[in-house]
Amino acid sequence: MKASSLHGHLDALILSVVEDGPLHGYAIIEALRARSDGALDLPTGTVYPALRRLERTGHLRSEWSNVAGRDRRTYRLTTGGKQALATQRGEWREFRDVVSAVLGTA
Amino acid sequence: MKASSLHGHLDALILSVVEDGPLHGYAIIEALRARSDGALDLPTGTVYPALRRLERTGHLRSEWSNVAGRDRRTYRLTTGGKQALATQRGEWREFRDVVSAVLGTA
DNA sequence: GGCGATATGTAGACTGGCGACATGTTGTCA
DNA sequence: TGACAACATGTCGCCAGTCTACATATCGCC
């Protein structure tokens, strides 16, 4: 699937997979792939900048750790992030319904 | 609704409203607004460039006319445009289902 | 030693939607 | 007559966000 069509919806997807528990970047990419049955295979150049953006806006917070000799930056949802996710879920539903209605793909 | 989330989906929406019969730019904007119950209110700076793009790629063809003293450029779907619309409807369905699945907004 | 998987990141290009602007006509209302 | 909304088309430059390609490093396996 063309991930470029995600434009503007990626943030919600990331927040959504982190909702179930803290994850580091690489694991987030895998979680998105798993949850979408392989349809979403996002490049690191897309995800890592998005994570820093989400941290900058206060929706995520990160913490470094080392697991089996590998450095990990683990992200978790903030309170603001939870609210943002709820808002964005609502916006997604509206967007989805509007586009489906216009396209006649209800 | 934030129309910026349209990114990449606008072409399909335009092709879809033109599918029912030739329309000029201004009427396309109105048709999108009507079909979406007011949710889609696109600025001319978005729609007109998109129409020229769609004509450049051969999905639309245009013709000038004059109605009640006003110049109109009326667009209609080409054969290629019909095929493109069918393809994009399929892509939309997939995109919609994937995002809904990940967000849990099924 | 090499390679694939794990892990993070940046730089620059490209695309597309948006706000602001520019232009002109028609119809309406005071 | 003059102002203003609606009709109608279009451009320009900005900006946000995604992608490609690159850079770096560890671990486990063969």
Side-chain angles (χ1 to χ4, degrees):
Chain A
M1 201 183 76
K2 274 183 261 166
S4 59
S5 44
L6 282 178
H7 217 100
H9 304 290
L10 177 59
D11 288 8
L13 296 176
I14 291 176
L15 295 178
S16 188
V17 296
V18 177
E19 189 185 26
D20 297 339
L23 287 177
H24 61 286
Y26 194 85
I28 289 172
I29 292 174
E30 287 186 317
L32 288 170
R33 187 167 41 230
R35 281 220 212 174
S36 65
D37 271 321
L40 284 177
D41 196 5
L42 305 180
T44 64
T46 293
V47 175
Y48 286 112
L51 289 171
R52 315 191 111 242
R53 203 165 60 229
L54 287 166
E55 186 165 22
R56 209 171 55 238
T57 56
H59 296 154
L60 292 179
R61 204 162 304 160
S62 73
E63 219 171 65
W64 283 98
S65 62
N66 187 288
V67 178
R70 286 192 177 94
D71 284 335
R72 285 180 176 175
R73 173 178 264 182
T74 302
Y75 292 89
R76 68 178 192 285
L77 261 190
T78 63
T79 311
K82 270 171 208 164
Q83 293 171 352
L85 176 55
T87 303
Q88 287 176 35
R89 277 207 175 100
E91 285 171 358
W92 161 253
R93 265 185 276 254
E94 193 199 348
F95 172 77
R96 179 191 62 187
D97 295 345
V98 164
V99 174
S100 290
V102 174
L103 286 186
T105 54
Chain B
M1 199 185 77
K2 274 183 261 164
S4 59
S5 43
L6 281 178
H7 224 286
H9 304 289
L10 177 60
D11 288 8
L13 295 175
I14 291 176
L15 294 178
S16 188
V17 295
V18 177
E19 189 186 23
D20 297 339
L23 287 176
H24 61 285
Y26 194 86
I28 289 171
I29 292 173
E30 288 186 316
L32 287 170
R33 186 166 43 231
R35 281 220 213 175
S36 65
D37 271 320
L40 285 176
D41 196 4
L42 304 181
T44 63
T46 292
V47 176
Y48 286 111
L51 289 171
R52 314 192 111 240
R53 205 165 58 229
L54 287 166
E55 186 165 23
R56 209 172 54 238
T57 55
H59 296 154
L60 292 179
R61 204 162 304 162
S62 74
E63 218 170 66
W64 283 98
S65 62
N66 188 288
V67 177
R70 286 192 177 95
D71 284 336
R72 284 181 176 175
R73 173 178 265 186
T74 302
Y75 292 89
R76 68 177 192 285
L77 260 190
T78 62
T79 311
K82 270 172 208 164
Q83 292 171 352
L85 176 55
T87 303
Q88 287 176 35
R89 277 206 176 103
E91 285 170 357
W92 161 253
R93 265 186 277 255
E94 191 198 349
F95 172 77
R96 178 191 63 187
D97 295 346
V98 164
V99 174
S100 290
V102 175
L103 286 185
T105 54

